[in-house]
Amino acid sequence: LMIMKEILSYFKDLIALFFPELCAACGRSLYRNERVICTNCIYHLPLTNFHTDPDNKMARQLWGRFPFVQTIAFAYFRKGNRIQNLMHQLKYKKRPETGIRLGELYAYELKRSTTFKPADLIIPVPLHPTKFKKRGYNQSECIAKGLSSILAIPVSTTNLVRLENTETQTKKSRYARYENLINAFHILDESEFINKHVMLIDDVMTTGATLEACSIKLLEIEGAEISICTIAYAE
């Protein structure tokens, strides 16, 4: 058995020599003990530390739009920075493992925190089936899996669904985005969320319109409470 393990290890090293796994943030070859993102890039991520500050920028952006327990994001999204590179790999380069790894890294931060309020359930913002088919996975679900694996909070992926393939959001104002999304989401079985604190997961928050539309739908359920969690926050 030991000999077999050594042979497997040798072949893995040989494969890595000719086909090295590359860091999703900077493109450099990963060392043997690194996964998806190199240690240097992890160290230099522009962290928000929003989970330590209830009066953070993201919370202020969402105040008055719907009630929430907390709003948190892992890192700042800025043009050309590591987080933008990681989001690009996750959404457009068929690297779902990037989302899982980012979810894990954020979960370690949250687990160490005394101010983070754990939820009963994690819900990734759903993709329309057409977009899901094109991409092959939901990037928010990948992040949710990473968070769940460390925080031991179950993930619900089949109950909150997206009905409409809404027009592209990129050039719309916040209100136009919200109007575009208001009827896009539906809950199949409300009983799963009764009296539950749910943490809604998305990859990046810009205007917050998608998160707002999902939250308002979930808050129609008796006793439901919402927290918002994203990997990136675009100022």
Side-chain angles (χ1 to χ4, degrees):
L1 192 64
M2 284 296 292
I3 293 166
M4 282 298 291
K5 281 182 179 176
E6 283 176 20
I7 291 168
L8 280 170
S9 178
Y10 171 76
F11 275 113
K12 278 181 184 174
D13 288 345
L14 198 62
I15 289 163
L17 188 65
F18 292 102
F19 305 101
E21 193 184 346
L22 305 178
C23 172
C26 70
R28 291 177 184 165
S29 297
L30 294 176
Y31 289 112
R32 198 171 183 179
N33 62 333
E34 296 175 330
R35 273 193 310 116
V36 187
I37 307 165
C38 73
T39 307
N40 183 58
C41 283
I42 291 171
Y43 182 76
H44 287 101
L45 288 175
L47 304 184
T48 69
N49 292 310
F50 284 171
H51 57 282
T52 66
D53 178 17
D55 183 23
N56 63 62
K57 291 177 186 178
M58 190 171 168
R60 275 181 262 153
Q61 193 174 331
L62 293 173
W63 278 345
R65 291 161 65 175
F66 59 92
F68 52 80
V69 176
Q70 63 187 344
T71 61
I72 55 176
F74 184 38
Y76 287 105
F77 182 100
R78 296 180 183 124
K79 196 172 180 181
N81 78 351
R82 286 174 171 86
I83 283 289
Q84 186 187 32
N85 294 346
L86 290 165
M87 292 295 102
H88 186 77
Q89 293 291 321
L90 172 60
K91 289 177 82 166
Y92 306 114
K93 296 295 181 182
K94 303 286 184 191
R95 292 197 68 174
E97 71 278 6
T98 305
I100 296 168
R101 187 72 179 123
L102 284 165
E104 290 170 353
L105 292 170
Y106 197 17
Y108 289 126
E109 291 283 320
L110 298 175
K111 207 169 184 181
R112 287 194 292 267
S113 169
T114 55
T115 49
F116 171 65
K117 301 176 181 73
D120 302 307
L121 272 175
I122 291 172
I123 306 176
V125 168
L127 277 184
H128 187 274
T130 309
K131 199 168 273 188
F132 184 92
K133 191 175 179 184
K134 187 179 177 183
R135 188 169 292 156
Y137 54 89
N138 177 355
Q139 72 275 9
S140 298
E141 190 176 327
C142 298
I143 294 161
K145 281 179 186 173
L147 286 160
S148 174
S149 68
I150 307 303
L151 297 174
I153 300 171
V155 181
S156 171
T157 58
T158 55
N159 206 344
L160 177 67
V161 295
R162 194 160 190 157
L163 298 178
E164 298 174 17
N165 196 7
T166 44
E167 308 159 49
T168 181
Q169 299 279 79
T170 315
K171 301 251 171 102
K172 292 180 181 288
S173 68
R174 181 185 78 77
Y175 186 73
R177 285 185 185 213
Y178 176 71
E179 285 283 290
N180 193 32
L181 288 162
I182 191 64
N183 297 312
F185 300 100
H186 180 66
I187 296 161
L188 299 175
D189 177 16
E190 292 191 0
S191 65
E192 185 184 15
F193 305 138
I194 291 173
N195 297 320
K196 289 288 198 308
H197 172 200
V198 300
M199 189 159 72
L200 200 56
I201 307 297
D202 208 355
D203 52 353
V204 185
M205 179 173 138
T206 49
T207 66
T210 303
L211 291 161
E212 182 179 1
C214 284
S215 297
I216 286 168
K217 182 59 70 177
L218 287 162
L219 287 166
E220 291 171 2
I221 297 167
E222 181 191 340
E225 291 185 303
I226 301 289
S227 283
I228 300 297
C229 175
T230 67
I231 286 299
Y233 174 69
E235 292 179 277

